[in-house]
Amino acid sequence: MLAKIKTLAKDIFPQLQAMRHHLHQHPELSFQEHQTMAFVAEKLRSWGIAFRAPVAGTGVVGIIEGKDPGSRIVALRADMDALPIQEANQVPYASQHPGVMHACGHDVHTTCLLGAAYILQQLREEWHGTVKLIFQPGEEKHPGGASLMIRDGALENPRPSCIIGMHVHPELPVGYLGFRTGISMASADEIYITIKGKGGHAASPHLTTDTILAASQVVVALQQVISRNKNPFSPSVLSICAFNGGYTTNVIPTEVKLLGTFRAMDETWRFQAHERIRQTIYHVAEAMGAEAEVEIPVGYPCLINDEQVTHAARALAEQYLDAEHVKDVDPRMGAEDFAFYSQVIPACFFRLGVASPGKGEGPTVHTPQFDIDEQALEIGAGIMAWLGARVTR
Ligand SMILES: [Zn+2]
Ligand SMILES: [Zn+2]
């Protein structure tokens, strides 16, 4: 079985490359993946794989049954959306959509899951159980396509016992995979703050409320939420990234807007922190004679890799490659909507090496220069098929 998957993955490499080039040339923004959905649906249809679409607007859920379909049910997931970035790469398959680019490798994830689907369908007499294929929209945008796929039943009828996701990883060379057990990625919540007060002539500050000074105090005070209220053993980040107010040298503005992000690796602390952040802002603003409005929409949760599933997936990865080529990866303060699945069923999110060997780390994701060594497509499709055929919990 392992050898057959490897052979098929090698045989379809030109088709994988063609699919990836097509998707890369035609990127679509979050929740607008209409052509991508049609492309995925057409491939599945041509291979005789049953599917449901649209799910959550532009998602696809496919089903492949092996022998004894009820014996085990697992889900494999890919995200399909692109980013609002102008591609800088001069390659024949560069984005044809101005200002939109597959800069996070979701074209690679979609291609590899399609490749895995083809392989599993070809070999369906040789593995047991059912594989659910989840092609989701909107990973890059609130509220996260994963949460909508779950809402629209992607994890029901039948309910998988576990779910596997993969992400391109420019820090690892092609030929390597990265795994981590337990808490692996942070929650991410956006913070929107408005500081309001009576502005006025800069020469008469005593007759105004200085919103610039009040907002400055808020920015400084918020750092104490991390340094004084957080358990030092729990990683967490609060960054204020935009400070917008005023327009000239002698007018104190009536309003200042602050934008930021809060990340945590503990769901209890996460919501305690939201309250500390709100209270800090309200009270500091009040002390300065200003008023504050705060919005912290709940974003992506912490991503937890289930111990059993991750151990099983890692052992299978070592069989597929070898122990040398399967690495431990560090936790990250980035966020990923795959975390929503990890809240519902046991999950494993692992990393696919995509850097060209000998060239060091490639450009990181979310940059106009991001690209991959396409040999990664063969490994990505093959390992997803192998995990689909074998992983259990
Ligand atoms: Zn991304
Ligand atoms: Zn991504």
Side-chain angles (χ1 to χ4, degrees):
M1 180 67 181
L2 183 64
K4 284 184 183 170
I5 291 178
K6 280 189 172 174
T7 304
L8 267 177
K10 201 180 177 79
D11 289 350
I12 64 167
F13 179 67
Q15 287 93 309
L16 293 173
Q17 239 179 342
M19 288 194 285
R20 192 251 165 169
H21 290 173
H22 176 86
L23 293 169
H24 197 86
Q25 283 175 314
H26 303 97
E28 294 175 294
L29 292 173
S30 306
F31 303 113
Q32 299 172 28
E33 306 89 340
H34 298 282
Q35 288 181 35
T36 308
M37 175 180 71
F39 181 82
V40 168
E42 181 46 40
K43 291 291 174 195
L44 296 180
R45 189 179 292 120
S46 73
W47 300 329
I49 296 171
F51 66 89
R52 186 158 73 87
V55 180
T58 45
V60 181
V61 177
I63 287 271
I64 309 175
E65 294 187 339
K67 286 194 292 190
D68 194 7
S71 59
R72 60 181 271 283
I73 302 164
V74 301
L76 305 176
R77 170 272 202 175
D79 42 12
M80 305 191 292
D81 55 329
L83 286 159
I85 292 177
Q86 178 65 41
E87 177 153 19
N89 296 313
Q90 305 281 342
V91 289
Y93 52 86
S95 170
Q96 294 178 1
H97 297 177
V100 185
M101 177 191 175
H102 269 295
C104 201
H106 299 185
D107 54 338
V108 177
H109 308 160
T110 301
T111 299
C112 290
L113 187 52
L114 281 170
Y118 174 83
I119 293 169
L120 288 166
Q121 175 75 349
Q122 293 297 307
L123 300 177
R124 64 189 181 282
E125 294 300 324
E126 311 213 14
W127 52 274
H128 290 264
T130 298
V131 170
K132 212 163 188 180
L133 310 162
I134 297 181
F135 295 90
Q136 70 154 81
E139 192 286 320
E140 300 284 2
K141 196 170 179 185
H142 186 84
S147 67
L148 305 183
M149 293 297 283
I150 295 167
R151 181 199 68 191
D152 289 358
L155 297 184
E156 304 302 328
N157 302 323
R159 187 180 178 89
S161 65
C162 62
I163 184 165
I164 305 289
M166 176 177 79
H167 205 288
V168 296
H169 201 60
E171 292 149 54
L172 278 177
V174 68
Y176 288 82
L177 298 171
F179 285 81
R180 178 177 180 81
T181 302
I183 186 107
S184 299
M185 294 183 76
S187 63
D189 304 308
E190 294 171 340
I191 307 173
Y192 297 87
I193 306 165
T194 308
I195 305 295
K196 292 179 171 179
K198 183 167 163 255
H201 202 298
S204 309
H206 60 296
L207 302 178
T208 76
T209 304
D210 188 343
T211 51
I212 295 278
L213 185 58
S216 303
Q217 301 278 15
V218 163
V219 172
V220 173
L222 280 176
Q223 292 309 311
Q224 295 176 37
V225 175
I226 301 298
S227 71
R228 300 293 86 184
N229 300 126
K230 182 185 73 65
N231 181 332
F233 289 99
S234 177
S236 195
V237 170
L238 196 168
S239 296
I240 298 297
C241 302
F243 190 119
N244 298 317
Y247 50 90
T248 187
T249 57
N250 59 358
V251 178
I252 293 171
T254 55
E255 196 173 275
V256 175
K257 286 188 181 288
L258 306 174
L259 305 176
T261 178
F262 172 71
R263 283 142 197 271
M265 289 218 160
D266 177 309
E267 290 285 330
T268 306
W269 155 245
R270 177 189 181 196
F271 291 102
Q272 287 170 348
H274 287 187
E275 199 45 35
R276 284 302 306 156
I277 290 167
R278 278 195 196 90
Q279 294 305 323
T280 301
I281 296 165
Y282 292 141
H283 290 122
V284 169
E286 191 187 13
M288 303 293 293
E291 274 176 46
E293 285 169 12
V294 186
E295 278 179 60
I296 310 176
V298 174
Y300 298 175
C302 305
L303 194 158
I304 295 157
N305 280 329
D306 178 79
E307 199 161 327
Q308 268 176 272
V309 177
T310 307
H311 281 157
R314 191 185 168 126
L316 288 163
E318 290 183 357
Q319 287 172 23
Y320 194 83
L321 299 171
D322 58 49
E324 285 269 285
H325 288 82
V326 179
K327 299 286 185 195
D328 292 317
V329 289
D330 292 330
R332 302 164 81 87
M333 294 311 288
E336 160 64 57
D337 82 345
F338 185 81
F340 283 113
Y341 302 115
S342 83
Q343 287 192 318
V344 180
I345 57 174
C348 171
F349 191 65
F350 70 97
R351 304 280 169 178
L352 174 70
V354 294
S356 289
K359 290 195 190 159
E361 273 181 35
T364 67
V365 293
H366 290 220
T367 64
Q369 292 81 20
F370 176 72
D371 202 358
I372 63 156
D373 184 318
E374 289 192 328
Q375 280 306 319
L377 298 172
E378 183 182 325
I379 294 165
I383 188 67
M384 285 300 260
W386 177 233
L387 293 174
R390 283 286 192 275
V391 81
T392 49
R393 184 184 194 270

